[in-house]
Amino acid sequence: MVTGYGAVTPVGHSVDETWAAMLAGRSGIDTVDTIDVTDLGVRIGGQVRGFTPGRYMPPKVSRRADPYAQYAIAAALEACEQAGLVVDERLAPRVAVIIGSGYGPVGSIYRAANILRDKGPRAISPFTQVTTAMDSAAGEISMRLGTQGPSRAQSTACASGADAIGAGMRMISHGEADVVLVGGADACVTTVDLAGSGNARALSRRNDDPTAACRPFDVHRDGFVMSEGAAVVVLESAEVAERRGATPLAELIGYGASSDAHHWTAPHPEGRGARLAVEAALRDAGASGSDVDYVNAHGTGTQLNDATEAAVLRTVLGDRVDRIPVSSTKSMTGHMIGAAGAVELVASIQVLRTGDVPPTINCDEPIDPDINFVPHQAQHHAGIRTALSNSFGFGGHNAALVVRAV
C-alpha cells in the first residue's frame, strides 16, 4: 500500500503544489540562472526555485548535503507526515530506505574537484567522501528519521526512481521490511550535464521559448529538458497500514524491469526492452492491457523515445490505447532523471484518486492522432481504476509500475 507521498519539483515544493501546477498546465522550464550557461548550446532547464533547506533540516545537514539529497529529505518528510509515520524504537528495525538516482550528488562532486584544483587537498572537507556518494540521500534520510532497516541507493539512469519503488515493493513482499521510504532524486542541471547531454543531441535547443521546449509526442519535438527534483512514497504492507491506522492512497500491484541490450542512448528500434518491462509489470499485477485506464508515459520529447513508446503501448494495450488518456507530465516538469519515475507515480496516484488527468502541454500535432495524449488541458475521466507508469532510461534500462485505486 502507498500511504504517503512527498515531492519537490520545478513546479512545486510539495505534492499539492506540484499537482495543482500539473492540472493547470503550468511549465517549470525556464532559462537556467544558477550557473553560467553563456557558452552552452542548451541554456534551459527545470530548476527547483525558491527551495529553503532550513524548513526541512538543520544547517549542519544542509551545509554538507548535495541539493539532490536535500530534495529527497524534504520529500521524505512530507511523505511521512501524510502517512502519519513515526519511526519509533519498535518500528525502526523494520523500516527501510531506498532512493534512486541517475546522477547522484554531481554538484558536490564538481565543486570538490574545483576546490582541489584551485586550493589544494587541505581545503577538501572531511565529509566529501560521504556527501559525494550515490547513497548519501538514503543515508541522510535514515539518520534524519532514525530508520534501522536496510538503506541503499538504486541507479538505473532515468528508470532509477521507478526501479527503486519496485525494489521497495519486493522488499515488503519478501518480508525484509514492513515499511519502505522509497523514491528518486536528482539535481543535475549543471554545466557538465547540460553540455554532455546537449552534445549528445538529446536535449531540446528551444532556448528562446523554454516553456514550449518539451513537446512529448508532438511531431516537432526536438529533445528532452534536463530538470531536477525528488519524490518519495511510503510503502507498507496492508497489515501494517491497518495496524497503524494509516489511510491507503493506492495499491502498488505490479512492477517490471528489463534491458534493451542495444545502445547507450537510443532505445531499441522495436521497443523490445520497453515492451518486456510493461508486459512484466502487467503480469506481476495479474492484469492485462485491457485493464489499464490511464498511462503516465515516459514521454521525454525525443524523436526516438516517443515514437517507440507509442508503438509499444499500441502493441501491449491494443485497441485500448485509443480509448484511454495517455499523458506526459514531463512536458511541464522536464525530465527529472532519477526522480522522474517517482514523481510520475505520485501523479498517477493522484489521477486514480481524483479522476483528473494532467495534460501533455505543447502537443500541438500528435504523432498518433488516434491516441488521446491529453493535449494542452487537463481532462476528467470517471472510473479510472488502474494506471500504468513507464520509465525508460539511457543504457537501455526500462521499468514500469502498475498502481490501482483503493
Side-chain angles (χ1 to χ4, degrees), residues 41-313:
V42 175
R43 299 185 293 278
I44 57 175
Q47 297 173 281
V48 174
R49 298 175 184 271
F51 180 78
T52 306
R55 290 182 56 192
Y56 310 99
M57 64 203 79
K60 67 178 182 179
V61 175
S62 62
R63 282 195 297 267
R64 72 176 181 240
D66 185 85
Y68 105 106
Q70 295 179 11
Y71 302 154
I73 293 169
L77 292 176
E78 181 188 0
C80 288
E81 181 177 5
Q82 184 181 39
L85 179 66
V86 177
V87 182
D88 57 22
E89 186 176 341
R90 178 189 58 82
L91 187 60
R94 299 292 297 169
V95 181
V97 180
I98 310 175
I99 300 298
S101 184
Y103 291 79
V106 287
S108 295
I109 294 171
Y110 302 152
R111 281 191 294 275
N114 290 337
I115 290 171
L116 181 63
R117 179 196 62 205
D118 297 338
K119 299 182 178 181
R122 291 182 63 83
I124 296 293
S125 165
F127 285 110
T128 299
Q129 71 273 24
V130 176
T131 58
T132 58
M134 181 69 78
D135 64 343
S136 58
E140 293 285 8
I141 291 170
S142 176
M143 288 185 283
R144 182 81 167 81
L145 297 174
T147 69
Q148 295 174 349
S151 61
R152 63 187 60 151
Q154 174 89 33
S155 188
T156 49
C158 313
S160 298
D163 271 330
I165 291 168
M169 176 186 176
R170 294 282 187 264
M171 189 173 284
I172 290 174
S173 65
H174 293 164
E176 298 174 29
D178 291 334
V179 181
V180 185
L181 293 168
V182 58
D186 259 312
C188 45
V189 182
T190 69
T191 305
V192 171
D193 295 300
L194 287 176
S197 292
N199 291 343
R201 300 188 179 278
L203 300 181
S204 171
R205 292 177 175 263
R206 295 176 186 265
N207 293 311
D208 297 330
D209 194 4
T211 61
C214 192
R215 313 182 66 83
F217 303 111
D218 184 71
V219 169
H220 303 291
R221 64 199 184 279
D222 72 328
F224 75 86
V225 175
M226 188 76 78
S227 295
E228 59 187 7
V232 172
V233 301
V234 176
L235 291 182
E236 51 190 315
S237 66
E239 294 79 12
V240 171
E242 183 177 1
R243 187 166 65 241
R244 288 201 314 108
T247 302
L249 304 175
E251 184 181 7
L252 183 63
I253 59 173
Y255 162 62
S258 69
S259 297
D260 280 2
H262 171 67
H263 190 273
W264 264 110
T265 57
H268 188 276
E270 297 174 1
R272 179 177 59 197
R275 177 177 54 80
L276 288 172
V278 172
E279 289 175 340
L282 290 171
R283 188 165 56 247
D284 189 44
S288 68
S290 62
D291 296 310
V292 176
D293 302 311
Y294 167 66
V295 178
N296 190 296
H298 185 55
T300 58
T302 64
Q303 284 289 329
L304 295 179
N305 173 85
D306 290 5
T308 299
E309 185 172 16
V312 166
L313 291 175

